[in-house]
Amino acid sequence: ACPGRDTIVVTTDPIITLGNDISLCQGDTAVLDPIVTYTTYLWNTGSTSPTLPVTAAGTYTLTVTDINGCINSDEIDVTVNPSPLVDLGSDISLCDGESVTLDAGSGFFDYLWNIGSATQTVNVSQQGTFTVTVTDVLGCTAFDEINISVNPLPAVDLGPDFNLCPGAGAVLDGGPGMSSYLWSDGSTGQLLLISTD
């Protein structure tokens, strides 16, 4: 009836999890982190750091060793989604009083212009740089910008009204330096000869 006692220590493989698979947008970075502290770390990239920043698609595996020398591993798949494509076109030059409609293109989930609009298109008549940021259904974003310049209208002065006597004529001058002229009678020269004949 004499009692006896013994002790045995059982060690198990370390528990490791890198979490669920990750989907990134192009240009973004995810930091893979097993959270728990281990004695050694070895990623399939060759890194021995506890955490691993990643920007490229692929399967990443981490093998860890605990203080008992036990080894375990886990892997995680990373996908990289391409950035959406947005193009506002070339810079635009307007004449004073004109306007233009800027179009970021269809098919995006969200739009945001630097003038506060959240629509696909905006109508502008003022000078400046206009930027739009678009977001697709995967949450990836891209932006583009366009410069709008506004040119003043040309100054033209035919002078004061005047009277012509019968048989007399006059020359009207549209002014030098213009690229084109168009008179009410269809003439296209800088000068227009008028007469009462």
Side-chain angles (χ1 to χ4, degrees):
C2 297
R5 184 174 66 178
D6 192 12
T7 300
I8 185 171
V9 177
V10 178
T11 59
T12 61
D13 290 337
I15 298 174
I16 174 176
T17 177
L18 293 174
N20 296 325
D21 293 340
I22 297 174
S23 180
L24 297 178
C25 297
Q26 190 174 13
D28 289 348
T29 300
V31 178
L32 307 183
D33 188 347
I35 307 300
V36 179
T37 301
Y38 303 99
T39 303
T40 64
Y41 305 81
L42 179 61
W43 297 88
N44 61 339
T45 62
S47 173
T48 56
S49 172
T51 60
L52 183 69
V54 295
T55 58
T59 299
Y60 295 87
T61 303
L62 173 61
T63 301
V64 297
T65 305
D66 65 13
I67 58 174
N68 299 308
C70 296
I71 299 172
N72 203 356
S73 63
D74 190 28
E75 68 179 25
I76 186 172
D77 290 323
V78 176
T79 58
V80 177
N81 300 307
S83 296
L85 298 176
V86 56
D87 184 8
L88 295 177
S90 302
D91 293 343
I92 297 174
S93 179
L94 299 176
C95 295
D96 192 17
E98 292 181 335
S99 65
V100 65
T101 298
L102 304 180
D103 190 342
S106 61
F108 299 113
F109 181 75
D110 189 43
Y111 301 84
L112 182 60
W113 296 84
N114 62 337
I115 55 176
S117 176
T119 57
Q120 176 184 331
T121 62
V122 293
N123 191 264
V124 297
S125 57
Q126 69 271 32
Q127 182 165 296
T129 299
F130 297 87
T131 304
V132 65
T133 300
V134 298
T135 305
D136 64 17
V137 293
L138 299 174
C140 297
T141 62
F143 78 95
D144 193 25
E145 67 179 22
I146 187 172
N147 294 309
I148 305 294
S149 58
V150 177
N151 301 304
L153 297 178
V156 58
D157 184 8
L158 296 178
D161 294 344
F162 59 89
N163 296 314
L164 286 178
C165 296
V171 176
L172 303 180
D173 188 346
M178 307 298 175
S179 61
S180 67
Y181 301 84
L182 180 60
W183 296 89
S184 56
D185 69 349
S187 301
T188 56
Q190 175 182 336
L191 304 178
L192 177 66
L193 177 63
I194 61 173
S195 70
T196 56
D197 293 339

